[in-house]
């Protein structure tokens, strides 16, 4: 069945990229970027619609619980798959902090750049300092920033340790932390096939995910955490505990 899915999903994805992507890009420029639709900018509405279509092409059924409120906030989530970014964009428009390699990815890298993604070169102290500065500026200007504080897609199941370094931007600007919990469900349980398999590279993972059967992408918007007066590590631990509790909850209610 996987090969049969690829036969129609690949043309569907190519059509979506060729037709939908230019529309997303155009909406980031005037006069389209100034248009409001139902209280949201046209570029946000179009970007969310583009992401939801990508999820459908990959066989993901979005199941979102709660809404991401507007305003400046540090959005934090557990990290399972590269497609987490698209799933989160299907819930709300947000600016991500991502590894620098994504800038070079076809289509995804271009859209990420246009959408204001902050790219971070791992292991580079100057890059980390620049990322922290850009995050603070965005929060002060009223925007949001989304991070994966586990530090990447790590092997093993469950929630990994949340690192506290990037939580400093929320503390310094007095912005709240908004935790999101992500999990993929198939046949009533966690779908562990959505992450990278041992030795698997991006291209192989991309086509493997594209060939998989239907799956539920469950996103839960958890209670906000105030950052005022807190230190980075305890704040990260509080967010981690919230996400872990939601992730380990009974999946039958998702």
């Amino acid at each position: 069945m996987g090969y049969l899915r690829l036969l129609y999903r690949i043309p569907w994805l190519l059509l979506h990229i060729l037709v939908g992507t230019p529309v997303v890009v155009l909406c980031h420029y005037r006069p389209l970027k100034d248009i409001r639709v139902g209280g949201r900018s046209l570029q946000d509405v179009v970007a969310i619609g583009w992401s939801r279509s990508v999820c459908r092409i990959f066989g993901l059924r979005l199941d979102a619980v709660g809404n991401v409120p507007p305003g400046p906030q540090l959005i934090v989530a557990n990290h399972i798959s590269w497609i987490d970014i698209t799933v989160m964009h299907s819930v709300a428009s947000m600016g991500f902090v991502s590894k620098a390699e994504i800038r070079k990815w076809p289509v995804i890298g271009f859209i990420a750049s246009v959408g204001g993604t902050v790219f971070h070169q791992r292991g580079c102290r100057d890059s980390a300092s620049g990322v922290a500065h850009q995050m603070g500026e965005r929060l002060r200007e009223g925007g949001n920033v989304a991070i994966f504080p586990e530090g990447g897609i790590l092997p093993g199941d469950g929630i990994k340790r949340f690192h506290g370094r990037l939580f400093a931007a929320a503390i310094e600007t007095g912005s709240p932390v908004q935790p999101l919990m992500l999990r993929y469900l198939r046949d009533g349980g966690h779908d562990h096939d959505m992450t990278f398999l041992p030795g698997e590279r991006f291209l192989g993972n991309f086509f493997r995910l594209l060939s998989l059967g239907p799956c539920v992408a469950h996103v839960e918007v958890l209670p906000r955490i105030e950052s005022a007066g807190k230190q980075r590590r305890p704040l990260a631990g509080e967010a981690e505990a919230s996400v872990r509790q939601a992730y380990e909850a009974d999946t039958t209610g998702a």
Side-chain angles (χ1 to χ4, degrees):
M1 285 297 293
Y3 291 109
L4 292 177
R5 294 188 189 100
L6 288 176
L7 286 177
Y8 72 86
R9 285 181 179 177
I10 289 175
W12 186 8
L13 179 62
L14 291 174
L15 180 63
H16 180 59
I17 290 171
L18 292 173
V19 177
T21 302
V23 176
V24 174
V25 174
L26 285 173
C27 287
H28 282 81
Y29 299 97
R30 287 188 173 88
L32 295 180
K33 71 175 298 182
D34 297 325
I35 298 175
R36 309 289 295 181
V37 179
R40 294 188 298 184
S41 67
L42 178 63
Q43 69 183 50
D44 285 352
V45 172
V46 171
I48 290 171
W50 188 93
S51 297
R52 290 183 176 180
S53 293
V54 171
C55 287
R56 284 193 292 270
I57 293 170
F58 275 82
L60 300 179
R61 180 175 67 82
L62 183 66
D63 176 34
V65 178
N67 297 303
V68 176
Q73 59 196 305
L74 179 66
I75 300 171
V76 302
N78 57 306
H79 205 8
I80 300 171
S81 168
W82 60 268
I83 209 169
D84 295 343
I85 295 175
T86 306
V87 170
M88 291 169 66
H89 261 308
S90 298
V91 175
S93 179
M94 55 189 77
F96 281 85
V97 174
S98 297
K99 60 182 180 180
E101 297 94 303
I102 290 179
R103 192 198 300 265
K104 301 177 182 178
W105 289 3
V107 182
I108 295 174
F110 178 70
I111 291 178
S113 298
V114 171
T117 296
V118 178
F119 293 103
H120 170 46
Q121 184 68 50
R122 292 179 182 174
C124 177
R125 182 170 298 180
D126 290 340
S127 176
S129 177
V131 166
H133 176 74
Q134 291 182 64
M135 289 175 63
E137 286 298 306
R138 184 169 297 175
L139 291 171
R140 291 186 186 94
E141 292 170 358
N144 63 40
V145 182
I147 64 172
F148 296 111
E150 291 169 313
I153 301 174
L154 304 177
D157 302 329
I159 307 301
K160 316 303 188 302
R161 180 177 182 268
F162 278 21
H163 298 281
R165 180 171 51 83
L166 292 180
F167 283 79
I171 297 171
E172 292 169 0
T173 60
S175 304
V177 173
Q178 175 60 73
L180 299 185
M181 184 276 291
L182 308 178
R183 59 185 176 187
Y184 298 93
L185 305 172
R186 193 187 306 272
D187 299 326
H190 291 283
D191 185 356
H192 303 298
D193 288 336
M194 293 300 296
T195 192
F196 283 92
L197 299 179
E200 188 175 48
R201 296 187 179 275
F202 173 75
L203 195 60
N205 180 266
F206 180 93
F207 284 106
R208 184 172 62 79
L209 296 193
L210 194 59
S211 70
L212 292 178
C215 173
V216 175
H218 180 75
V219 184
E220 193 167 334
V221 182
L222 303 172
R224 270 182 167 186
I225 302 172
E226 294 302 323
S227 64
K230 296 180 180 178
Q231 298 297 315
R232 293 182 302 177
R233 182 56 228 157
L235 182 58
E238 195 173 346
E240 177 189 327
S242 177
V243 173
R244 185 186 305 278
Q245 182 179 10
Y247 183 86
E248 294 176 353
D250 186 2
T251 59
T252 58

